Amino acid sequence: DIDLSTTSIGQRLMPLQEPEESALLEWVVKTTAEHDSSLIPTLAISLWLAPYGFLAFVFLECLVFSTEGRRFLLVVFVTIALAQPRDRSKQVWSMAFWYLSIFTIALMALYLQAIFIFLMALSVALPLDIIGKYGDQVGNWIADKSKNYFALETILEDEDALSKLSQNGVGTIFAMEPHDILSFGCFAFHPFLKMLPPGNMRDSFKCLVSSAIMNTPILRHIMWWMCCDSVEKSVFRGHLQQKTSIVFVPGGMQEVTLMDPSKTEELVLYLRHRKGFIKIALELGTPIVPVFTFGLDGSYAYHVPRGEMILRLSRTMGFLPVFFWGRWGVPLGIPRPQQITVVVGKPIEVPYLGDNISREDVDKYHSIYIEKLEALFEQHKAGKELYCDRKLKIL
């Protein structure tokens, strides 16, 4: 193998048992950032990923040390915040009732002098783009510093194919794996980093995350600045209809429940029953691009609760109540500054079928996606610590 850190083109000989295909596969190393986990990049990562822990600790502090009135108000607020209507544009009356509830909570928080609850209520009520271009500038700064914190390396297996899609203004689905504790590898697609070819694909791009994150006070605005949006089906389809390319993790939080640090010989992905994005791609004729992220494993140590009740609870809330710790051993803190490599595979062309989609069509392209993802992992795992001796296990 050629050392990918010193060349712009990586080359790998194809297996001899496949003579009908090209004997040489080439890919482009788009960016290789210098590793820098000093103060400024650490502050950027903290602004982006530390609010998880901050909000959790403040929530616990309020539950334990606040008055009964404040505790009750906090529980009511959290319940209403997580239960807000998923499609704000259509559920008008539900949204009106939800905003009235949030406004009432804010007034009660002021009366009880619960300033933190008031600020959280204000955060979930304010529009995501409340500070306009200044929010975009904060997101650009976070993405730029995160690139160095993780020594980001991005590899495009077929830049020409992606360039054609981008120039033609075609909305594209980038299906990224694995999820791990937090799927922060998606930041590599941030438009400011210019990983993707010029055109519509790079300029209008969204990373789709759990709706629970986009409903969480404070965090929802930070994620919006990082070009994130909810992964709800209506939002998913809406972005593609507007020719906006998206990246998301099909395995989702289900993969977190399957993580086991004692099984170092395999990497489990939950994909066999994740076919909804395939159906939407066939409905709209949207290309699908397999993406694999190396380097997430080991960024956090963790304890994952098990059991059917936990799974049901996580599906209801939209996130898994997992305990993790990263750099310096800080609970729910920032990840360790290890290198992240994002490998973008070749686009899978998907036909436009509209409403005439059969189960066989979905199964066919779902199998193609899994096959291409597995090939992506096998072709690029060499030399990757914690990955080179592992096999994918698809559930």
Side-chain angles (χ1 to χ4, degrees), residues 245-373:
S245 294
I246 58 176
V247 61
F248 84 115
V249 181
M253 64 183 179
Q254 187 75 30
E255 288 184 355
V256 182
T257 67
L258 300 172
M259 293 173 61
D260 188 345
S262 66
K263 296 182 179 180
T264 57
E265 73 283 358
E266 64 184 22
L267 180 61
V268 180
L269 305 181
Y270 186 77
L271 291 173
R272 295 295 181 195
H273 303 288
R274 301 297 199 187
K275 300 180 181 181
F277 73 102
I278 301 292
K279 186 175 181 180
I280 293 177
L282 289 166
E283 177 188 328
L284 303 176
T286 302
I288 301 172
V289 181
V291 181
F292 200 92
T293 306
F294 294 93
L296 296 179
D297 201 350
S299 57
Y300 285 109
Y302 56 88
H303 172 72
V304 179
R306 312 288 180 182
E308 184 62 29
M309 187 179 72
I310 293 296
L311 282 177
R312 292 180 179 178
L313 180 64
S314 63
R315 292 192 189 104
T316 301
M317 297 188 303
F319 65 91
L320 181 70
V322 58
F323 182 73
F324 58 89
W325 58 98
R327 192 177 182 185
W328 305 307
V330 177
L332 308 182
I334 62 175
R336 301 181 180 106
Q338 55 193 42
Q339 184 179 39
I340 297 294
T341 300
V342 177
V343 184
V344 181
K346 295 183 177 182
I348 301 169
E349 293 296 330
V350 176
Y352 168 75
L353 299 182
D355 296 328
N356 302 314
I357 303 172
S358 66
R359 178 177 298 179
E360 290 74 19
D361 294 325
V362 175
D363 290 342
K364 173 184 175 180
Y365 285 95
H366 183 255
S367 297
I368 292 174
Y369 166 71
I370 291 180
E371 177 186 340
K372 297 297 184 183
L373 186 69

Side-chain angles (χ1 to χ4, degrees), residues 139-153:
N140 294 344
W141 178 74
I142 293 175
D144 185 51
K145 298 307 176 184
S146 298
K147 174 186 66 177
N148 296 112
Y149 184 87
F150 293 113
L152 176 66
E153 178 183 55

